[in-house]
């Protein structure tokens, strides 16, 4: 673990993936956190150059987005300013010893914990509380023509989603994404 | 798409990103470096802060950092609403001492780009308000300065009666514009 003035950075089992804990400064009015700090992130090895940020708002628990990546995968810094999610990252780097392995954890506004990954992961979220806001920064501009994905319920990935299938709502597009078997073959070729 | 509207002081930009709703909820591109660059602002943001404010009527500001630690800020609200204010402190500016203000809320999705050379502050219009702001320079306590939010010379049209606005002792002790030696 690495600690800076405003953050703790904890390298996870998948190389290039970090759990980030910002420190919270509380006073009578409320609190202040540094949600991102380029020099402290870079000093800890989280080296993305951020050029875009997206924010999703989801009124209902059970909504699912993912698992997504772009043909030139992006580094991503994910946090949950309101509500709670189950956050999933899958290693899609063919040369990685953990290719195909996933990292799952709850992120919430209450804990303030964040996830950061270098380019080379597919990403998905399952909303666990109504009114959840997710903000994520990326190191490239979004290009819809380069979107790819993997099926959330892929049997080989076997992600331990914390809700029953019947309680999970997914878009048609996400439901039609390829299985890991096909996606991983494509990733190997593209390499 | 992010709509960009230059304000009365043209370097201050009001940004309104499109929302893409679907059955699950809404997705918004809250920041695109290339959109700001096309509008003439090309400084990279290197830090982001989030503040949570419990009570309606709480004032935070008017703050700035003196050069070389001067900061531009991109401010948005993710919960509740604020009345957001930028005051031009550039001594050679024809709009020195003038104010741009905007209501920013979760619902209107607006953001305010406050360039270097401005003091910035807001008053919360709702309980449990959360504000996120990106910064172009890091926090530098020794460079922190302030301007008194209630200085009548600024003519800020606060949307709450002054008696309902509460500032902490530090923010209440900042100088008025006439007594401020602006470093810009």
């Amino acid at each position: 673990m690495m600690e800076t003035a405003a953050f703790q950075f904890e390298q996870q089992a998948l190389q290039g993936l970090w759990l980030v804990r910002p420190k919270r400064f509380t006073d009578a009015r409320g609190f202040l956190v540094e949600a991102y700090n380029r020099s402290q992130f870079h000093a800890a090895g989280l080296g993305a150059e951020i050029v875009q940020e997206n924010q999703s708002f989801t009124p209902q628990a059970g909504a699912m987005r993912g698992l997504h990546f772009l043909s030139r995968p992006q580094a991503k810094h994910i946090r949950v300013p309101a509500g709670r999610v189950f956050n999933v990252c899958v290693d899609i780097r063919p040369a990685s010893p953990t290719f195909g392995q996933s990292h799952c954890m709850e992120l919430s506004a209450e804990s303030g914990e964040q996830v950061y990954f270098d380019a080379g992961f597919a990403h998905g979220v399952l909303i666990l509380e109504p009114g959840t806001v997710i903000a994520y920064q990326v190191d490239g501009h979004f290009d819809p023509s380069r979107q790819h994905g993997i099926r959330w319920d892929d049997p080989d990935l076997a992600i331990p989603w914390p809700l029953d299938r019947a309680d999970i709502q997914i878009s048609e597009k996400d439901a039609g994404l390829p299985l890991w078997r096909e996606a991983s073959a494509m990733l190997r070729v593209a390499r | 798409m992010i709509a960009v509207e230059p304000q009365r002081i043209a370097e201050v930009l009001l940004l309104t990103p499109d929302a893409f709703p679907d059955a699950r909820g809404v997705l918004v591109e809250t920041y695109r470096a290339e959109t700001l660059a096309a509008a003439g602002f090309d400084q990279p943001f290197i830090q982001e802060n989030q503040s949570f404010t419990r009570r309606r009527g709480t004032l935070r500001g008017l703050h700035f950092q003196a050069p070389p630690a001067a900061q531009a800020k991109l401010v948005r609200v993710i919960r509740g609403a604020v009345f957001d204010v930028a005051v031009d402190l550039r001594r050679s500016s024809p709009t020195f001492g003038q104010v741009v203000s905007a209501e920013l809320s979760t619902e209107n999705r607006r953001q305010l780009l406050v360039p270097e050379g401005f003091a910035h502050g807001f008053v919360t219009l709702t309980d449990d308000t959360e504000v996120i702001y990106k910064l172009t320079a890091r926090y530098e306590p020794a460079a922190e300065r302030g301007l008194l939010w209630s200085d009548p010379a600024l003519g800020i049209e606060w949307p709450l009666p002054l008696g309902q606005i509460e500032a902490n002792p530090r923010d209440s002790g900042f100088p008025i514009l006439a007594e401020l030696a602006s470093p810009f």
Side-chain angles (χ1 to χ4, degrees):
Chain A
M1 189 170 66
M2 172 156 179
E3 188 155 346
T4 64
F7 302 90
Q8 283 179 351
F9 300 99
E10 199 176 291
Q11 167 75 58
Q12 304 294 288
L14 308 184
Q15 192 66 34
L17 192 144
W18 304 75
L19 169 59
V20 181
R21 290 194 193 92
K23 296 176 187 172
R24 200 170 274 197
F25 304 95
T26 303
D27 69 12
R29 296 168 295 182
F31 67 75
L32 182 76
V33 289
E34 284 189 24
Y36 174 72
N37 181 312
R38 180 182 177 277
S39 63
Q40 290 179 38
F41 274 54
H42 280 224
L46 293 66
E49 295 294 352
I50 302 299
V51 301
Q52 181 167 340
E53 183 168 29
N54 302 322
Q55 180 176 306
S56 68
F57 170 76
T58 312
Q60 297 218 13
M64 150 89 209
R65 297 171 188 263
L67 309 163
H68 298 153
F69 60 98
L70 296 181
S71 49
R72 192 183 70 75
Q74 296 182 322
K76 226 178 214 185
H77 171 227
I78 304 140
R79 59 210 182 77
V80 179
R84 191 162 58 95
V85 306
F86 184 71
N87 187 76
V88 176
C89 308
V90 178
D91 186 346
I92 57 164
R93 300 164 297 184
S96 162
T98 54
F99 183 56
Q101 291 185 25
S102 53
H103 174 274
C104 306
M105 72 175 289
E106 258 191 41
L107 299 178
S108 68
E110 195 182 353
S111 79
E113 290 175 335
Q114 314 173 342
V115 165
Y116 168 97
F117 55 74
D118 289 331
F121 289 85
H123 176 232
V125 286
L126 175 64
I127 305 297
L128 299 179
E129 270 179 23
T132 291
V133 176
I134 305 168
Y136 54 101
Q137 307 193 97
V138 287
D139 67 345
H141 287 307
F142 177 63
D143 179 352
S145 68
R146 291 169 186 273
Q147 276 183 294
H148 295 279
I150 310 162
R151 268 268 291 282
W152 66 283
D153 57 350
D154 181 90
D156 293 322
L157 297 181
I159 293 162
W161 299 105
L163 297 181
D164 289 337
R165 169 178 286 270
D167 296 326
I168 295 179
Q169 298 102 44
I170 189 151
S171 70
E172 258 177 56
K173 184 166 145 272
D174 285 351
L177 291 171
L179 292 173
W180 172 244
R181 208 160 19 134
E182 302 158 48
S184 59
M186 183 199 86
L187 287 160
R188 285 205 180 87
V189 171
R191 188 188 159 206
Chain B
M1 264 288 291
I2 302 177
V4 180
E5 297 169 65
Q7 300 298 287
R8 206 158 53 83
I9 304 171
E11 297 87 345
V12 181
L13 304 177
L14 186 67
L15 309 176
T16 311
D18 281 344
F20 301 96
D22 68 11
R24 295 167 297 185
V26 181
L27 183 74
V28 179
E29 288 185 353
T30 45
Y31 167 64
R32 279 185 84 99
E34 60 184 20
T35 301
L36 283 175
F41 182 89
D42 60 3
Q43 292 175 263
F45 290 104
I46 60 146
Q47 183 172 330
E48 182 162 51
N49 292 350
Q50 177 175 341
S51 71
F52 168 76
T53 308
R54 210 170 300 283
R55 301 289 297 264
R56 174 180 196 259
T58 303
L59 183 117
R60 293 178 185 260
L62 307 169
H63 300 151
F64 60 97
Q65 289 192 173
Q71 298 170 315
K73 296 177 182 172
L74 180 61
V75 185
R76 73 179 201 263
V77 170
I78 55 154
R79 191 172 169 200
V82 304
F83 181 77
D84 205 53
V85 174
V87 182
D88 189 351
L89 296 181
R90 301 166 302 174
R91 281 172 302 173
S92 61
S93 164
T95 52
F96 175 77
Q98 292 186 25
V99 175
V100 169
S101 60
E103 186 175 322
L104 312 180
S105 70
T106 319
E107 283 184 4
N108 69 25
R109 300 191 305 279
R110 285 172 173 171
Q111 309 179 1
L112 198 68
L113 178 81
V114 182
E116 287 182 18
F118 286 74
H120 169 257
F122 61 80
V123 64
T124 53
L125 302 178
T126 48
D127 285 346
D128 297 331
T129 300
E130 295 198 58
V131 175
I132 292 182
Y133 50 102
K134 293 184 188 297
L135 300 160
T136 56
R138 67 189 183 131
Y139 173 58
E140 198 64 72
E144 276 191 292
R145 305 275 190 280
L147 169 67
L148 186 65
W149 65 279
S150 55
D151 178 359
L154 301 176
I156 300 173
E157 291 171 2
W158 298 103
L160 298 178
L162 291 195
Q164 289 179 23
I165 298 179
E166 199 164 327
N168 73 2
R170 178 170 167 273
D171 287 352
S172 305
F174 287 134
I176 58 172
L177 185 65
E179 290 170 3
L180 178 82
S182 172
F184 296 107

